[in-house]
Amino acid sequence: MIARSPAMTENDIVYVRTAPSRALSPPITSVGFIGWLRANLFSSWLNTALTLLTAALIVWLVPPIVRFLFIDAVWSGADREACLATGMQEAGACWAFVHERLSYFIYGSYPVAERWRVNLFFALFAFGSAWMLWLDAPRRGLGALFFFVVLPVTSYVLLTGSTLLGLSPVDTSLWGGWLVTVVVTAVGIVTSMPIGVVLALGRRSSLPVVRFLSVIFIEFVRGVPLVTVLFMASVMLPLFVPPAWSPDKLLRALIGVMLFAAAYQAEVVRAGLEAIPRGQYEAGRALGLGYWKLHGLIVLPQALRVTIPNIVNSIIALFKDTTLVFIAGIFDFLRTIEVARADPKWATPVTSTTGYAFAAVVYFICCYLMARYAASVERRLARADRR
Amino acid sequence: MSEPVSRPDPKSALAVEISGLHKWYGTFHVLAGIDLNIRHGEKVVICGPSGSGKSTLIRCVNALEDFQRGEIVVDGVVLTKNLKRIDEIRRDVGMVFQQFNLFPHLTVLENCTLAPIHVHKMPKAEAEATARRLLARVKIPEQADKYPAQLSGGQQQRVAIARALCMNPRIMMFDEPTSALDPEMIKEVLEAMVELANDGMTMLVVTHEMGFARQVADRIVFMDSGQIIEINTPEAFFTNPQHERSKLFLSQILR
């Protein structure tokens, strides 16, 4: 009802609405499935062209891949006979080969009787990682102690052996496969981060000698390919050092990876440090905080937070770079697959493709999980930042 | 106002002694021979046109800036390049910045307790109790568990004041504390500063808030081109400035 002004009479009002009219439903072309299609796939001629092109690509690529990996795939068999093409039918992926050599891909040449030690290491590592990565986990301080102190020591004793504990020594030249990939990646990540932070701080130090040494190290290592670093460590070093002094081959590769990753982490962390406003330093100093407390409590927590995407980026790159340790004669996961595919027992036209497909799937799953985890951490921090 | 903050006896008769202070940025002579003594409990307002060196002067007192010639003695401690000395002085001198400079990754309470816990080695519970008391004093006790970004500018600046007070300083320095604030928030910050002044805190304030200067200052220091042009009581400074440049400045700022 509308308020009537005194001048109005009953006859002036022709029609009065007593209820609001029903809202019109939106046009069919802007909501629901059709609306979604128009908005996302066919919003412009360029978008339409891309949609059609992508659809064509999917039709062209996906069926053969699915066919190769699943439909035509051979799932069981004793040797190459199982995976050979029969008559007119083309052979698919030879999963029987992967299945049979899987323990080699995981443990390398680690003695079969001692492989329980590797399994125990995997279990401890998974437990420690989960404790550290689960941000709401109870007693995370204890978890850090376990992950950074207990785990490395235990793993070292467990994997290399100790006559004192009745564990027969296993030379690192026998290590291989996924075990080596995990060890190199974990050691690389855990050691490169603190070294990288120190180098980044050193590069911004007001002490000329510290700054100079940091810059020299970072620029030198960044200027050299990882392959070269590993090659130097494995081939050149023994030429200059007496054999008795020459450290273990795996250890040399680990140090090479560590120094290489540290130089990259240093630049990532430095970018974060540059992003912290000068006022934060001044406020910290004005409160009487010394250099280490200022950086440890105020600057680094903020700097590392803004660089999480970049840190994860270099961690993923490091994970994939570990495949280069084969240069030093170490049999990492990818290398064991490469060795196995050359085995005459499994020599078929599809063995190599299968092996590489398997490696690709495993590496992709790991990298994708790392990226998703990082994204969830970022979302969590963003939620805290919205505040 | 609440209970007076207890402080140990001063080590020196003067809170701050600045003598013959010179500072150059490259060839630019930003401080050209500053002499200034501040007694305990005294409130000194430093004003002057922008670029006159007033912020630089107070930043020299807690060694956020270095200087090339002259001497600064803070509460009996001579300021040298010795880091121990510098930290000793910084613990005695609280500072409030134009841009607040709160730590965004910490809650208000953590902002306030960080330095007492890590510099004074105060137990956490005691530091938190002190922080809550001082947050109540600047009238924002209910904000203790929020993050700085959730607060208005005026609230953030009052947190900054509480954070500095948590270190139990003898001297408080303010570097244009209201210049970055919206007009309606200036008042709440100035009120907190007036209360602090009434409690007997030694204060060194760089500000353009002439109303605050008139109400609180014992002396007004007028600076221009890196020199002190005039030191006077507020009444004398505002009603009868001695120097041409002071008159010009006042005519511009008071309209």
Side-chain angles (χ1 to χ4, degrees):
Chain A
M1 294 290 275
I2 55 168
R4 241 186 275 169
S5 69
M8 274 181 161
T9 67
E10 204 67 43
N11 298 336
D12 290 338
I13 299 167
V14 178
Y15 169 69
V16 174
R17 208 185 248 293
T18 56
S21 69
R22 277 213 3 244
L24 288 175
S25 53
I28 187 79
T29 51
S30 69
V31 289
F33 182 62
I34 296 172
W36 184 87
L37 284 182
R38 284 173 71 105
N40 293 292
L41 299 183
F42 302 101
S43 59
S44 67
W45 66 266
L46 180 65
N47 211 342
T48 306
L50 287 174
T51 302
L52 295 177
L53 194 68
T54 312
L57 264 176
I58 291 173
V59 170
W60 183 50
L61 284 176
V62 171
I65 291 176
V66 170
R67 191 175 186 81
F68 178 81
L69 290 181
F70 301 107
I71 298 171
D72 290 346
V74 178
W75 299 91
S76 60
D79 57 17
R80 64 188 292 272
E81 295 298 328
C83 295
L84 287 175
T86 49
M88 290 308 289
Q89 198 189 347
E90 275 195 55
C94 186
W95 295 121
F97 155 71
V98 172
H99 184 252
E100 203 219 40
R101 304 312 304 270
L102 191 61
S103 62
Y104 180 59
F105 299 160
I106 296 174
Y107 307 101
S109 307
Y110 210 89
V112 176
E114 305 293 333
R115 284 183 181 172
W116 63 270
R117 282 151 58 175
V118 179
N119 289 336
L120 185 56
F121 159 73
F122 283 147
L124 289 173
F125 180 76
F127 176 71
S129 314
W131 202 347
M132 291 311 295
L133 296 178
W134 180 26
L135 296 180
D136 298 320
R139 310 292 305 272
R140 292 190 77 233
L142 203 63
L145 185 72
F146 173 78
F147 190 81
F148 293 110
V149 180
V150 179
L151 184 63
V153 174
T154 322
S155 306
Y156 180 78
V157 172
L158 204 56
L159 293 174
T160 57
S162 147
T163 43
L164 204 67
L165 295 173
L167 298 170
S168 61
V170 178
D171 194 81
T172 55
S173 61
L174 297 175
W175 299 19
W178 190 242
L179 167 66
V180 162
T181 295
V182 169
V183 167
V184 176
T185 306
V187 171
I189 292 170
V190 170
T191 57
S192 69
M193 205 55 218
I195 300 176
V197 168
V198 169
L199 284 170
L201 292 176
R203 190 165 191 165
R204 287 166 54 87
S205 169
S206 55
L207 306 171
V209 175
V210 174
R211 191 171 57 234
F212 183 71
L213 291 177
S214 304
V215 170
I216 293 274
F217 178 86
I218 292 169
E219 294 305 334
F220 177 75
V221 174
R222 284 206 308 165
V224 178
L226 178 57
V227 172
T228 316
V229 175
L230 292 171
F231 190 74
M232 287 283 290
S234 68
V235 181
M236 305 291 279
L237 195 66
L239 296 180
F240 299 114
V241 182
W245 289 17
S246 176
D248 182 86
K249 195 164 66 176
L250 180 64
L251 181 64
R252 275 181 274 150
L254 279 177
I255 292 173
V257 167
M258 171 183 92
L259 297 180
F260 190 79
Y264 278 87
Q265 293 290 24
E267 285 303 280
V268 167
V269 173
R270 188 171 67 93
L273 292 174
E274 304 282 353
I276 305 302
R278 219 171 70 131
Q280 294 288 306
Y281 290 90
E282 291 183 347
R285 288 203 194 103
L287 286 168
L289 295 169
Y291 178 88
W292 292 108
K293 280 180 179 159
L294 175 66
H295 282 86
L297 298 168
I298 294 168
V299 178
L300 280 173
Q302 297 184 57
L304 294 180
R305 182 176 294 194
V306 296
T307 49
I308 283 178
N310 301 335
I311 291 173
V312 173
N313 198 27
S314 45
I315 284 177
I316 290 175
L318 169 65
F319 174 61
K320 292 185 295 185
D321 279 353
T322 59
T323 52
L324 292 172
V325 295
F326 82 88
I327 291 285
I330 295 164
F331 290 77
D332 78 308
F333 179 65
L334 185 63
R335 187 66 181 156
T336 54
I337 290 175
E338 294 212 293
V339 169
R341 82 188 170 91
D343 181 356
K345 186 184 169 195
W346 286 98
T348 72
V350 293
T351 306
S352 298
T353 321
T354 308
Y356 286 129
F358 178 62
V361 168
V362 170
Y363 277 106
F364 174 78
I365 289 173
C366 290
C367 294
Y368 186 72
L369 287 179
M370 284 192 239
R372 294 314 304 165
Y373 174 75
S376 79
V377 172
E378 275 174 53
R379 269 198 304 279
R380 182 190 167 105
L381 292 176
R383 203 162 51 233
D385 274 338
R386 202 171 321 133
R387 300 189 276 246
Chain B
M1 190 65 205
S2 55
E3 84 286 15
V5 186
S6 68
R7 290 184 193 83
D9 285 336
K11 294 168 224 159
S12 154
L14 289 170
V16 182
E17 305 168 58
I18 302 169
S19 46
L21 189 70
H22 287 266
K23 177 178 174 62
W24 287 265
Y25 282 127
T27 57
F28 177 55
H29 203 176
V30 56
L31 294 177
I34 302 286
D35 294 284
L36 180 64
N37 288 342
I38 296 159
R39 295 185 305 278
H40 284 288
E42 193 177 23
K43 292 100 183 92
V44 173
V45 167
I46 304 175
C47 61
S50 66
S52 58
K54 45 196 196 307
S55 286
T56 310
L57 174 61
I58 68 165
R59 288 161 59 87
C60 281
V61 172
N62 66 350
L64 289 181
E65 303 275 356
D66 59 357
F67 50 89
Q68 282 79 32
R69 200 184 297 166
E71 190 181 60
I72 296 179
V73 183
V74 181
D75 204 20
V77 181
V78 181
L79 182 59
T80 63
K81 295 224 187 292
N82 183 323
L83 289 175
K84 278 222 164 63
R85 288 278 184 84
I86 290 177
D87 283 341
E88 196 181 333
I89 286 172
R90 283 173 178 166
R91 269 176 258 145
D92 257 7
V93 180
M95 179 129 180
V96 174
F97 298 87
Q98 181 176 350
Q99 299 294 343
F100 329 138
N101 294 350
L102 295 179
F103 307 131
H105 61 303
L106 301 176
T107 64
V108 164
L109 192 67
E110 288 165 344
N111 263 279
C112 293
T113 57
L114 181 108
I117 290 173
H118 289 99
V119 177
H120 279 329
K121 309 289 174 212
M122 191 185 277
K124 191 170 177 228
E126 189 186 338
E128 288 188 351
T130 309
R132 288 191 189 279
R133 182 166 54 79
L134 289 167
L135 285 171
R137 210 170 132 182
V138 293
K139 303 200 172 58
I140 39 173
E142 72 285 357
Q143 311 290 352
D145 299 313
K146 290 192 184 166
Y147 284 89
Q150 293 171 297
L151 270 53
S152 73
Q155 290 171 328
Q156 290 193 45
Q157 192 60 297
R158 285 185 282 157
V159 172
I161 294 172
R163 177 176 73 177
L165 290 176
C166 279
M167 287 295 281
N168 197 12
R170 292 163 180 283
I171 302 157
M172 282 286 284
M173 302 202 297
F174 296 81
D175 187 2
E176 307 206 18
T178 55
S179 301
L181 293 174
D182 292 336
E184 71 269 25
M185 294 170 182
I186 291 176
K187 188 159 161 273
E188 64 193 47
V189 171
L190 290 180
E191 275 170 5
M193 290 168 64
V194 169
E195 288 195 13
L196 192 61
N198 292 340
D199 277 3
M201 177 62 82
T202 310
M203 288 165 70
L204 195 47
V205 185
V206 172
T207 186
H208 296 295
E209 293 295 330
M210 289 302 129
F212 172 81
R214 199 190 288 261
Q215 182 185 355
V216 166
D218 296 314
R219 283 188 295 164
I220 290 185
V221 174
F222 175 73
M223 284 181 70
D224 194 10
S225 317
Q227 289 173 312
I228 293 179
I229 305 298
E230 180 172 348
I231 302 184
N232 223 328
T233 59
E235 304 90 66
F237 182 71
F238 287 114
T239 54
N240 185 22
Q242 298 299 303
H243 201 282
E244 280 308 315
R245 277 190 274 184
S246 316
K247 285 176 194 163
L248 180 65
F249 175 73
L250 283 174
S251 71
Q252 283 164 344
I253 204 162
L254 295 177
R255 282 181 288 269

